[in-house]
């Protein structure tokens, strides 16, 4: 197979685009996709301070790499979740990437800052680890970006993530999450920072190919808590459909953005007020994060106060 651009031997085949690229043209293709997404959804401009949430996995490391290559002096934020060896390897890999490029990395250690790890929280709250973990991530990405003066938080969500989330939202007719699902979520309150997903048109496999060709070392294993998660079931189902009918994943998600989303925009927005404990926007008296934290602290020692900034 030959590269669509230069007819040299192809390194990556993209069946859903009916094309193939050599290594340099494939890297161009990914960079162009990201640049197009950033522009189309007005995610950020050269003047904005971008904070990339970096897990140590392929998507967020590739995103950070792409932003740095495109000339954005993006900083990274890594949350140390305390999920055994998986978290240790994730932190080491993220740190090595930042050191290599001389990029600023903010590390936030859940245990020393908050007094609990994700597994500990799950034991205390008697809930699956992923629910507390997701709440921590959403809250801390926003809070840390806000406190440190960033304009926007970028995450590595790819097309597989977005299509699987959409499938879950549609299967259970979760209308509020459906309304909020977007490649770019504006800051609708002074306490909220804009959230963007610049890789939402690229698949998991495409991001793995990017890392491979760029020599980016990433953590290949999934979080051990993800075993049996519904998102994996939906991803498998979508991959089976995609194998028979290339392009379906993209059509599913892009069709949602183009056709259904405009119809949902008119729906009433919820009114936000400030959490009585932390001041972050919430619909109730106190926010879900503070309620979770209060319950967890009853069972944990007092947390420390500072986070560590490298670079
Ligand atoms: P996940 O929620 O694991 O599907 O990850 C979605 C996105 O959240 C990733 O692409 C990252 O941008 C971000 N993310 C996940 N885990 C972490 C972490 N421990 N620290 C910082 N960002 C993370
Ligand atoms: Fe949060 Fe797995 S990364 S529970
Ligand atoms: Zn080529
Ligand atoms: Zn709060």
């Amino acid at each position: 197979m030959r590269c669509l651009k230069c007819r040299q031997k192809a390194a990556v085949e993209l069946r859903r685009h009916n094309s193939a690229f050599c290594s340099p043209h494939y890297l161009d293709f990914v960079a162009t996709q990201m640049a197009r997404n950033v522009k189309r959804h007005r995610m950020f401009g050269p003047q904005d301070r971008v904070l990339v949430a970096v897990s140590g996995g392929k998507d967020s490391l590739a995103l950070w790499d792409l932003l740095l290559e495109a000339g954005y002096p993006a900083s990274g934020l890594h949350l140390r979740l305390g999920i055994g060896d998986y978290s240790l390897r994730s932190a080491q890999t993220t740190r090595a990437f930042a050191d290599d490029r001389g990029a600023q990395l903010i590390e936030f250690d859940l245990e020393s800052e908050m007094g609990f790890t994700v597994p500990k929280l799950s034991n205390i709250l008697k809930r699956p680890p992923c629910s507390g973990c997701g709440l921590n991530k959403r809250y801390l990405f926003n809070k840390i970006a806000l406190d440190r003066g960033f304009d926007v938080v970028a995450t590595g969500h790819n097309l597989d993530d977005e299509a699987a989330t959409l499938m879950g939202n549609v299967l259970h007719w979760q209308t509020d999450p459906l309304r909020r699902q977007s490649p770019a979520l504006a800051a609708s309150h002074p306490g909220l920072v804009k959230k963007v997903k610049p890789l939402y048109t690229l698949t998991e496999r495409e991001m793995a190919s990017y890392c491979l060709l760029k020599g980016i070392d990433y953590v290949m294993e999934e979080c051990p808590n993800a075993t049996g998660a519904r998102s994996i079931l939906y991803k498998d189902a979508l991959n089976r459909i995609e194998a028979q009918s290339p392009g379906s994943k993209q059509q599913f998600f892009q069709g949602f953005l183009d056709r259904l989303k405009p119809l949902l925009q008119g729906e009433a927005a919820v009114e936000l007020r400030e959490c009585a404990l932390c001041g972050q926007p919430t619909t109730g008296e106190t926010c879900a994060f503070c309620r979770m934290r209060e319950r967890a602290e009853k069972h944990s020692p007092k947390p420390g106060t500072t986070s560590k900034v490298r670079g």
Side-chain angles (χ1 to χ4, degrees), residues 129-254:
C130 296
S131 64
C133 179
L135 180 54
N136 272 301
K137 285 181 192 165
R138 278 193 302 280
Y139 181 91
L140 292 168
F141 291 169
N142 186 71
K143 185 79 169 67
I144 293 169
L146 195 72
D147 289 351
R148 292 173 181 265
F150 287 95
D151 299 298
V152 54
V153 172
T155 52
H157 291 95
N158 57 38
L159 179 59
D160 295 66
D161 297 324
E162 292 307 295
T165 302
L166 177 61
M167 186 179 249
N169 286 340
V170 167
L171 278 178
H172 303 99
W173 289 119
Q174 311 243 45
T175 48
D176 282 338
L178 262 180
R179 202 174 300 127
R180 281 195 303 272
Q181 193 178 352
S182 173
L185 210 55
S188 57
H189 183 281
L192 293 174
V193 173
K194 189 174 185 180
K195 314 287 177 337
V196 298
K197 301 168 181 174
L199 304 181
Y200 80 96
T201 55
L202 291 149
T203 64
E204 227 157 66
R205 184 182 150 261
E206 288 159 12
M207 295 324 298
S209 300
Y210 180 88
C211 288
L212 194 77
L213 294 179
K214 268 302 259 341
I216 296 173
D217 182 28
Y218 64 91
V219 176
M220 291 199 188
E221 71 201 86
E222 292 281 343
C223 165
N225 299 321
T227 319
R230 286 222 183 131
S231 57
I232 293 187
L233 175 66
Y234 301 150
K235 281 184 182 176
D236 284 349
L238 286 162
N239 279 336
R240 288 181 60 186
I241 297 169
E242 183 77 17
Q244 298 290 319
S245 170
S248 297
K249 239 183 251 177
Q250 167 106 24
Q251 278 166 23
F252 179 49
F253 189 62
Q254 197 58 49

Side-chain angles (χ1 to χ4, degrees), residues 16 21 46 53 55 164 192 198 216 231 252 260 268 274 294 298 306:
R16 69 193 184 101
F21 295 106
S55 63
L192 293 174
I216 296 173
S231 57
F252 179 49
L260 186 63
E274 286 178 5
E294 273 192 326
K298 276 189 200 144
T306 51

Side-chain angles (χ1 to χ4, degrees), residues 53-55 59-60 77-81 137 141 154-157 161:
V54 193
S55 63
D59 306 303
S60 48
L77 166 64
H78 178 72
L79 305 183
R80 294 207 299 257
L81 304 168
K137 285 181 192 165
F141 291 169
T155 52
H157 291 95
D161 297 324

